[in-house]
Amino acid sequence: MTKIQNDFYDILNQFLKYKNNYNKLDFKTQWDTNFKSLSTRLKESDLLNNNLYIFGNTGVGKTYFSQELINGRGMYYKWYEIINDVLNGDNKIRKYFNSDIIVIDDFLSKKPTEYNINIFYEIIDTRLENKKQTIITTNYSPKEFKNILQNLGTIEHYLQNRISSRMNLFDFYEFKGNDKRKK
């Protein structure tokens, strides 16, 4: 494992340990008062210089972790909000290009179509070109994402290759565990 991977999993393990010890209502207070060192580590970490693809089952903490990771330094968007936003207006896609850091949460939660995948490609391609960090959270592993692309018969082969090439510039992290929302 690389240093960045070791740092990520060390930070993640600390985060999950703290998160599991407090209920959701209390966690924000505990984070703010008792775990500043972890928050500082996140800010100083190389994680904020890399593109991240965080995947795992529902309810394992992907969204919460990504929100804490950017903590006021970037923009947070649900995938379906991006799709709806772009569908409802001219040039609205441009707002996803400019922020230094964005989280695209629940990627592929809206049924993938050729149009949706083209939006995704345009966003990540432009952001990579401009050296802007992108954090993607999803329930789909990289392999499952690739299969989704291949099974959308309408997507041109060249676009599949371009997306695969861009995704090579992401670090992939799997969150494991059971749905924390289920008691």
Side-chain angles (χ1 to χ4, degrees):
M1 247 195 263
T2 65
K3 181 185 178 324
I4 183 77
Q5 289 171 322
N6 283 331
D7 285 350
F8 179 88
Y9 283 113
D10 185 41
I11 291 169
L12 174 61
N13 286 331
Q14 283 182 327
F15 171 81
L16 292 175
K17 177 180 150 195
Y18 299 147
K19 183 174 185 270
N20 290 336
N21 287 332
Y22 298 96
N23 65 43
K24 282 193 176 201
L25 295 175
D26 198 27
F27 181 73
K28 182 67 176 151
T29 303
Q30 295 298 329
W31 180 275
D32 288 345
T33 57
N34 296 329
F35 307 118
K36 290 272 187 198
S37 64
L38 180 57
S39 184
T40 300
R41 273 191 73 192
L42 285 170
K43 289 176 189 173
E44 295 171 353
S45 160
D46 284 340
L47 289 175
L48 293 178
N49 298 320
N50 292 357
N51 295 298
L52 306 174
Y53 184 98
I54 301 171
F55 65 98
N57 293 331
T58 300
V60 294
K62 301 177 302 289
T63 296
Y64 198 84
F65 184 81
S66 64
Q67 288 172 332
E68 286 298 331
L69 188 61
I70 65 167
N71 197 12
R73 292 180 299 279
M75 302 301 294
Y76 168 86
Y77 302 102
K78 291 278 190 188
W79 175 241
Y80 65 83
E81 293 170 334
I82 294 172
I83 297 304
N84 291 339
D85 205 18
V86 173
L87 286 171
N88 291 328
D90 294 326
N91 291 321
K92 285 196 175 182
I93 195 171
R94 297 206 175 281
K95 80 178 187 181
Y96 304 107
F97 299 157
N98 297 324
S99 179
D100 286 337
I101 304 171
I102 68 166
V103 171
I104 300 174
D105 188 34
D106 285 336
F107 177 59
L108 296 175
S109 61
K110 188 168 180 100
K111 184 180 179 191
T113 65
E114 183 176 2
Y115 185 76
N116 296 2
I117 298 301
N118 274 298
I119 291 170
F120 174 72
Y121 172 75
E122 190 172 343
I123 291 171
I124 63 164
D125 185 55
T126 302
R127 293 187 59 75
L128 288 168
E129 207 171 90
N130 294 318
K131 299 185 181 350
K132 306 281 188 181
Q133 184 188 18
T134 305
I135 301 168
I136 297 168
T137 70
T138 183
N139 293 346
Y140 298 96
S141 71
K143 183 179 180 179
E144 290 169 323
F145 175 45
K146 186 175 182 178
N147 288 339
I148 288 169
L149 286 179
Q150 290 171 345
N151 291 331
L152 276 176
T154 57
I155 293 187
E156 298 292 332
H157 185 67
Y158 80 91
L159 184 57
Q160 290 177 26
N161 289 339
R162 287 175 157 232
I163 291 172
S164 292
S165 174
R166 287 0 174 240
M167 295 308 291
N168 287 329
L169 300 172
F170 280 73
D171 293 334
F172 298 91
Y173 296 101
E174 181 176 12
F175 278 38
K176 295 182 179 180
N178 297 321
D179 188 338
K180 303 291 188 258
R181 295 180 196 106
K182 292 183 181 177
K183 300 245 176 199

